[in-house]
Amino acid sequence: QVHLVQSGAEVKKPGASVKVSCTAFGYIFTNYGISWIRQAPGQGLEWMAWISAHNGGTNYAQSLQGRVTLTTDTSTNTAYMELRSLTSDDTAVYYCARDDYGGNSNWFEPWGQGTLVTVSS
Amino acid sequence: DIQMTQSPSSLSASVGDRVTITCRASQTITKYLNWYQQKPGRAPKLLIYSASSLQSGVPSRFSGSGSGTDFTLTISSLQPEDFADYYCQQSYNTPRTFGQGTKVEIK
């Protein structure tokens, strides 16, 4: 069945970088995009960025522009999210989600299981 | 950015109750509105897409309506497994934005 599997939890120091992976199963990877969404402890959902698995095109939230980079490896059906210059405000669960579509509409389904990134000195 | 505002932020209800959650966009998003359910420690799950289309496998007690700026998620008869957080999300443009969430608790 269609599902996404993310890499494990990370603990990083302020100023460091983190790279989270998201491997897709059960569908043609290059037919869809992948979005990344994060959720700080006890908070709501924040969309971060999107990448086309077809051509590598990207779209980043302005608040993260310059600190986040999305890539894909079509040989392993894996998407990556790298976030640099980490601060405590980046402590969150990071989700990848397939950008599903119909007509002109898009939605996130399915989601990965989430990766907890903790930034602490 | 399009701001999404949900109300209420939380509600208490009993099993069998009819529950309504509203979502308002700061500008028209036509029908490009999705609803998700999130249980503690779990990833969100898609319930409704394009304002009123029920995602495959989602019980028919969930329904969505609305267009333009005002949208509604309705649970016709609340079940024990429905106690969770609910989020709306617009896909009209980027950045994709979410409502702040509605927590549905047991009364």
Side-chain angles (χ1 to χ4, degrees), chain B residues 14-34:
Chain B
S14 300
V15 172
D17 284 353
R18 182 181 183 89
V19 169
T20 299
I21 299 168
T22 64
C23 179
R24 174 164 288 176
S26 60
Q27 67 179 74
T28 182
I29 56 171
T30 63
K31 64 174 182 175
Y32 299 129
L33 189 283
N34 308 311

Side-chain angles (χ1 to χ4, degrees), chain B residues 49 57 59 68 83-84 91 107:
Chain B
Y49 61 94
F83 292 97
S91 59
K107 193 171 191 177

Side-chain angles (χ1 to χ4, degrees), chain B residues 12-101:
Chain B
S12 295
S14 300
V15 172
D17 284 353
R18 182 181 183 89
V19 169
T20 299
I21 299 168
T22 64
C23 179
R24 174 164 288 176
S26 60
Q27 67 179 74
T28 182
I29 56 171
T30 63
K31 64 174 182 175
Y32 299 129
L33 189 283
N34 308 311
W35 290 97
Y36 302 87
Q37 176 194 65
Q38 186 180 33
K39 296 182 179 179
R42 305 294 296 273
K45 169 190 167 184
L46 178 70
L47 298 176
I48 302 286
Y49 61 94
S50 299
S52 60
S53 295
L54 189 68
Q55 170 67 359
S56 175
V58 174
S60 59
R61 63 181 180 272
F62 291 93
S63 64
S65 64
S67 66
T69 60
D70 294 312
F71 301 86
T72 299
L73 173 70
T74 299
I75 309 172
S76 61
S77 178
L78 197 65
Q79 297 302 300
E81 60 268 31
D82 301 336
F83 292 97
D85 294 333
Y86 293 84
Y87 293 91
C88 62
Q89 174 250 325
Q90 65 81 17
S91 59
Y92 183 79
N93 64 13
T94 56
R96 307 281 192 235
T97 46
F98 292 85
Q100 82 279 13

Side-chain angles (χ1 to χ4, degrees), chain A residues 1-7 21-30 32-35 76-79 95-100 108-114, chain B residues 42-44 55:
Chain A
Q1 75 279 25
V2 176
H3 65 286
L4 303 173
V5 177
Q6 298 183 222
S7 50
S21 69
C22 168
T23 302
F25 297 90
Y27 71 95
I28 299 172
F29 184 64
T30 51
Y32 296 82
I34 295 284
S35 277
T76 59
N77 291 348
T78 300
Y95 295 103
C96 62
R98 187 179 72 166
D99 215 275
D100 204 350
F108 304 131
E109 177 66 17
W111 296 56
Q113 83 275 20
Chain B
R42 305 294 296 273
Q55 170 67 359

